[in-house]
């Protein structure tokens, strides 16, 4: 004697999970026939081959989809699982920077001669009768920068570029202290003469720095630190720049992946420049002689602090543009950049 048991698919729903439940609700109950071993003709647990038997297949386990996470930044998986949006780790940028800054001088050393040029390679001395007046740097920097988000909150970058421009330096010479009697005498003093000159800048620059950043979908804040070393071919206008900046602002979604981020902040931009060279005056004395001046002077930013106003436009997860203006008491700086993140 055999006993047949009828099972509906709906009875298996608890074993299939949510997907199984949805399928069970869509399908009508289908009987599955299984055999209960009550047949006295079964031998050693083997059913009579003459009796057809249908065995239900076990439900396959539904495996969760495995997410793919980038290798960088370190800790990026944990940040994504907590709901944070993180940028693509690697980036490449093209930058244009124009800077105008008033400078202070120190360590002015000269060699001065009447009617001829001081010998090249001769000693340069600090003298009290030669002082500097106007000092202003005009420089334009075109730079390629590569960066990586090492952690979700820490970006490291390095750049190489070209700096071109000039430094305007005014020099005041007390001719009475420089030229002895009889050329300059109390009855007919020579007085002072202004000898302005322009030191050209044509340097290769190397930049290293980092950014600490934090934010959400609606705001951001960042602190950056960068050091730039700019080297001239003949040690005529070596430059070092230290840039520390804090920025913060809101983030506005413009639809899709397009995000506009205006921001404000403060910037400490300290520039140290060493300039050297040779300058000649016109005729200064009764005999028609001129003055030749070989010089070397160190210049630094007079007022390095400035305010920041700018905006960043993320066109997609790959492309972004930035424009920024820095305005200080005796400086102004403009920055343009285009960034690609593969």
């Amino acid at each position: 004697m055999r006993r047949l048991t009828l099972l509906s698919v709906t009875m298996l729903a608890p074993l299939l999970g949510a997907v199984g439940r949805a399928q069970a609700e869509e399908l009508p109950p289908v009987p599955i026939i299984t055999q209960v071993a009550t047949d006295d003709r079964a031998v050693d647990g083997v059913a009579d081959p003459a009796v057809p038997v249908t065995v239900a297949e076990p439900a396959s386990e539904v495996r969760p989809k495995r997410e793919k996470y980038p290798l960088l930044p370190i800790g990026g998986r944990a940040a994504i699982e907590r709901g944070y949006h993180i940028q693509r780790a690697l980036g490449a940028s093209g930058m244009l920077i124009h800077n105008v800054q008033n400078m202070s001088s120190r360590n002015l050393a000269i060699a001065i001669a009447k009617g001829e040029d001081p010998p090249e390679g001769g000693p340069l001395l600090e003298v009290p009768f030669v002082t500097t007046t106007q000092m202003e740097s005009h420089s334009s920097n075109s730079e390629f920068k590569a960066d990586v988000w090492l952690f979700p909150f820490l970006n490291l970058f390095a750049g190489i570029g070209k700096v071109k421009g000039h430094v305007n330096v005014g020099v005041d010479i007390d001719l009475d202290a420089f030229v002895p009697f009889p050329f300059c005498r109390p009855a007919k003093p020579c007085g002072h003469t202004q000898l302005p000159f322009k030191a050209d800048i044509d340097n290769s620059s190397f930049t290293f720095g980092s950014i600490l950043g934090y934010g959400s979908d609606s705001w951001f804040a960042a602190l950056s630190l960068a050091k730039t070393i700019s080297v001239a071919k003949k040690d005529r206008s070596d430059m070092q720049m230290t840039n520390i900046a804090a920025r913060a602002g809101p983030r506005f979604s413009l639809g899709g992946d397009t995000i506009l981020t205006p921001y404000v902040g403060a910037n400490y931009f300290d520039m140290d420049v060493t300039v050297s060279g040779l300058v000649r005056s016109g005729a200064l004395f009764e005999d028609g002689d001129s003055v030749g001046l070989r010089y070397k002077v160190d210049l630094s930013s007079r007022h390095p602090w400035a305010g920041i106003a700018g905006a960043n436009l993320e066109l997609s997860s790959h492309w972004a543009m930035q424009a920024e203006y820095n305005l200080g008491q005796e400086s102004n700086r403009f920055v343009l950049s285009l960034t690609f993140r593969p």
Side-chain angles (χ1 to χ4, degrees):
M1 178 179 180
R2 300 182 184 89
R3 185 176 64 193
L4 300 180
T5 304
L6 300 180
L7 298 178
S8 168
V9 172
T10 56
M11 297 178 61
L12 302 179
L15 302 179
L16 299 177
V19 175
R21 285 194 294 271
Q23 294 172 345
E25 292 171 359
E26 296 173 0
L27 299 177
V30 178
I32 300 178
I33 302 175
T34 60
Q35 179 182 12
V36 180
T38 57
D39 192 346
D40 53 3
R41 287 179 298 175
V43 179
D44 296 332
V46 179
D48 187 345
V51 181
V53 178
T54 302
V55 180
E57 292 292 333
S60 61
E61 182 181 356
V62 179
R63 296 182 180 180
K65 183 180 179 180
R66 180 174 297 179
E67 297 288 345
K68 293 183 179 181
Y69 297 96
L71 296 177
L72 290 174
I74 300 171
R77 175 175 180 174
I80 293 173
E81 290 177 347
R82 291 177 62 186
Y84 288 94
H85 169 75
I86 60 175
Q87 289 191 345
R88 297 174 182 269
L90 302 179
S93 303
M95 303 181 67
L96 294 175
I97 305 168
H98 182 71
N99 184 68
V100 179
Q101 191 144 10
N102 287 340
M103 315 292 287
S104 298
S105 68
R106 64 185 186 278
N107 304 328
L108 173 63
I110 67 166
I112 189 169
K114 178 179 177 296
E116 61 182 356
D117 293 339
E120 187 174 1
L124 301 179
L125 304 174
E126 295 185 35
V127 292
F129 55 83
V130 178
T131 58
T132 56
T133 55
Q134 176 196 12
M135 287 156 292
E136 189 176 69
S137 169
H138 297 252
S139 62
S140 296
N141 184 10
S142 55
E143 182 175 276
F144 170 80
K145 184 182 74 172
D147 73 276
V148 59
W149 284 97
L150 185 62
F151 296 97
F153 56 85
L154 178 62
N155 181 275
L156 303 178
F157 60 85
I160 183 171
K162 192 73 173 177
V163 181
K164 291 192 174 184
H166 61 272
V167 180
N168 294 326
V169 180
V171 175
D172 180 90
I173 304 175
D174 183 352
L175 296 176
D176 293 295
F178 164 57
V179 181
F181 184 86
F183 298 101
C184 299
R185 52 195 183 273
K188 193 174 183 179
C190 296
H192 289 246
T193 185
Q194 300 295 319
L195 190 59
F197 61 88
K198 183 174 70 174
D200 292 328
I201 300 172
D202 188 2
N203 298 7
S204 299
S205 65
F206 306 91
T207 301
F208 307 92
S210 62
I211 300 174
L212 287 173
Y214 187 80
S216 67
D217 289 338
S218 58
W219 65 275
F220 90 102
L223 177 67
S224 63
L225 169 64
K227 185 74 174 183
T228 299
I229 299 174
S230 177
V231 182
K233 295 180 179 179
K234 296 182 179 180
D235 193 29
R236 294 188 63 249
S237 55
D238 291 344
M239 306 172 67
Q240 292 190 30
M241 291 165 275
T242 301
N243 191 353
I244 303 173
R247 300 172 177 86
R251 291 165 52 87
F252 301 104
S253 176
L254 303 182
D257 293 332
T258 304
I259 298 175
L260 176 65
T261 308
Y263 58 85
V264 294
N267 186 31
Y268 175 86
F269 184 77
D270 184 28
M271 181 166 60
D272 291 293
V273 186
T274 299
V275 294
S276 59
L278 173 68
V279 62
R280 304 178 185 91
S281 71
L284 294 177
F285 305 101
E286 293 179 344
D287 58 3
D289 279 349
S290 62
V291 168
L293 179 71
R294 195 173 296 278
Y295 63 89
K296 184 175 183 180
V297 61
D298 296 328
L299 307 175
S300 59
S301 302
R302 185 177 298 170
H303 296 284
W305 289 98
I308 294 176
N312 187 76
L313 180 62
E314 296 179 44
L315 302 173
S316 67
S317 61
H318 295 283
W319 292 98
M321 298 187 300
Q322 180 190 15
E324 179 178 297
Y325 182 67
N326 296 187
L327 179 62
Q329 183 175 348
E330 296 186 73
S331 66
N332 61 80
R333 187 167 181 249
F334 191 71
V335 181
L336 285 174
S337 70
L338 177 65
T339 300
F340 173 70
R341 313 198 77 85

